[in-house]
Amino acid sequence: QALIHRQDITETPRICNHVQNHAHLSNKKALWANLKMYCQFANLDIYSFVPATFHVQDGVNDANWETFTAEFERIEREQYTLEASGRERTDQNIWIVKPGEL
């Protein structure tokens, strides 16, 4: 099934984020895991392709949660330092956080 399809020739094409029978392409977590494995194999930096990603599976007890909060606090300190010196913040430190494995 194509990513772009039309129900009616007069409609604007719609982009579908699911590809039938291809869970590793249309599932964001699986896509990220596969990209991470590929980058490790090819000796590439995954974060040159995607933004910082923290796969938290065990809530606040997960090591990745600790890594995420440390990164969040590091950026906040940098931004506070910029503001304190009279310069504008360069990053708003906005994150998308979704529930982990339930």
Side-chain angles (χ1 to χ4, degrees):
Q1 185 167 358
L3 286 175
I4 299 175
H5 58 88
R6 293 176 186 252
Q7 288 183 327
D8 183 275
I9 196 73
T10 61
E11 286 186 35
T12 303
R14 295 183 308 166
I15 297 176
C16 180
N17 69 343
H18 298 286
V19 180
Q20 189 174 0
N21 300 320
H22 291 87
H24 286 267
L25 294 176
S26 58
N27 174 298
K28 288 184 244 3
K29 183 173 60 175
L31 182 61
W32 178 78
N34 283 307
L35 182 59
K36 181 179 176 186
M37 283 189 293
Y38 171 77
C39 286
Q40 287 171 341
F41 175 78
N43 200 27
L44 299 169
D45 176 19
I46 188 171
Y47 300 117
S48 64
F49 301 101
V50 296
T53 303
F54 303 93
H55 183 202
V56 177
Q57 296 177 302
D58 192 25
V60 296
N61 301 316
D62 194 301
N64 280 322
W65 176 257
E66 303 260 337
T67 305
F68 162 70
T69 55
E71 180 67 4
F72 179 89
E73 290 167 1
R74 181 191 67 76
I75 293 170
E76 278 301 297
R77 282 190 305 274
E78 282 180 6
Q79 297 307 312
Y80 178 78
T81 302
L82 283 173
E83 285 178 336
S85 68
R87 292 179 288 175
E88 266 189 57
R89 290 176 69 110
T90 58
D91 192 313
Q92 294 182 13
N93 206 11
I94 297 173
W95 297 82
I96 297 172
V97 179
K98 295 180 174 184
E101 320 301 313
L102 300 175

